[in-house]
Amino acid sequence: MKIHHLRSATLLLTLGEHRLLVDPMLGDAGSMPGFKFFGGGRRPNPLVPLPPETKACLDQATGVILTHVHPDHLDTAGKEWIRARGLPVWASRKDVPSLKRKGLDARELRDGALGMAVEVIPAKHGRGLSGWLMGPVSGYHLAHPGEPSVYMTSDAVLTEDLLAALDRLRPDVVIAPAGSANFGLGDILFSVDELVTLARRAPKDVVLNHLEALDHCPTTRAALGKRMAAEGLAARVHIPSDGEALHFEKRA
Ligand SMILES: [Zn+2]
């Protein structure tokens, strides 16, 4: 399995014969308005351009996976690119109808899709009012027979349900968003403390993304790396730079 991190939540996931583009936000830097509505610091998004490796990754893609349809996971440029390529878009049951209305070849990501065991794990994208405003999102556990298993939590805060999913599924690799996003109305992504709890509970590797690309995600890679090292988690927690590829082998 290869996770080629591109920017924020966008990555190319190589799983067996599949090259799956996850959550494509493909617009140029500054192509969207800021998301930080309260508390100052609002700037146009994305904050940074895509890395030079992007085109080679996009050219390989055989399909798209969407965890949810917020604009930092599917933007206008992402939609246009998918339509031009005519690739299938694997999404939760809830998101399939709206994606079809956008002219995309949307298909439900469920068990057996892509020839592998799939479990959809509902997640909470915030607490209280913020969580309600964000709406439901879906994490996915993908278990390709020849590859390490991977659990993408989607944009989420830490819940007992999410920890229970980790305990039950024992994923080889967890991919989690780490920018500690907030609109100024409370957290809508894992706090750094919650990421420490998640990494301790994860059985093996953890990949942290959704960093340093959006105005409402204040956590930096440097601060996160320092904290994970202080917690003794640096060997298992990976924080890729934009354009960096991570390789994982199936355990015997
Ligand atoms: Zn997001």
Side-chain angles (χ1 to χ4, degrees):
M1 175 169 69
K2 180 162 94 171
I3 295 171
H4 202 138
H5 171 75
L6 293 175
R7 177 181 63 182
S8 197
T10 307
L11 59 94
L12 187 76
L13 176 66
T14 299
L15 266 185
E17 66 280 30
H18 303 291
R19 306 283 181 276
L20 299 161
L21 185 68
V22 178
D23 286 350
M25 173 178 69
L26 301 181
D28 293 336
S31 59
M32 280 190 289
F35 299 149
K36 185 80 164 60
F37 295 111
F38 304 98
R42 190 170 186 212
R43 287 183 285 162
N45 285 318
L47 303 179
V48 293
L50 285 160
E53 296 81 357
T54 303
K55 187 181 179 304
C57 285
L58 296 184
D59 286 349
Q60 293 172 46
T62 57
V64 175
I65 289 183
L66 291 183
T67 63
H68 61 303
V69 294
H70 290 169
D72 58 323
H73 297 256
L74 178 66
D75 66 353
T76 303
K79 272 175 244 169
E80 285 171 358
W81 178 85
I82 297 168
R83 276 197 211 101
R85 288 286 303 272
L87 292 176
V89 178
W90 300 92
S92 69
R93 180 181 306 171
K94 179 191 77 68
D95 287 333
V96 165
S98 72
L99 292 166
K100 282 190 170 163
R101 286 195 295 275
K102 291 182 175 92
L104 301 175
D105 177 12
R107 305 175 190 189
E108 185 183 344
L109 186 50
R110 60 180 165 199
D111 196 28
L114 295 157
M116 63 183 93
V118 175
E119 183 168 328
V120 179
I121 301 142
K124 286 212 184 317
H125 191 345
R127 296 197 168 82
L129 177 63
S130 298
W132 179 78
L133 287 169
M134 293 296 97
V137 299
S138 299
Y140 303 118
H141 180 262
L142 307 178
H144 187 285
E147 294 273 27
S149 59
V150 57
Y151 172 22
M152 297 183 270
T153 68
S154 183
D155 281 8
V157 293
L158 197 67
T159 59
E160 284 305 318
D161 285 353
L162 197 149
L163 291 172
L166 278 181
D167 290 347
R168 183 168 52 81
L169 296 164
R170 310 279 303 157
D172 295 309
V173 180
V174 179
I175 304 175
S180 324
N182 73 84
F183 293 120
L185 280 176
D187 290 347
I188 54 172
L189 286 185
F190 303 111
S191 67
V192 174
D193 286 341
E194 288 178 340
L195 292 168
V196 169
T197 303
L198 182 150
R200 286 199 185 292
R201 197 81 159 247
K204 206 182 165 209
D205 290 287
V206 177
V207 176
L208 300 179
N209 64 7
H210 212 303
L211 285 158
E212 296 181 343
L214 299 165
D215 67 328
H216 68 326
C217 289
T219 300
T220 63
R221 287 178 171 99
L224 199 55
K226 205 169 160 188
R227 176 69 188 277
M228 292 297 162
E231 300 285 346
L233 292 164
R236 290 197 293 117
V237 175
H238 312 275
I239 309 172
S241 309
D242 290 356
E244 183 178 349
L246 302 170
H247 298 259
F248 300 97
E249 300 297 328
K250 191 173 171 71
R251 282 186 285 190

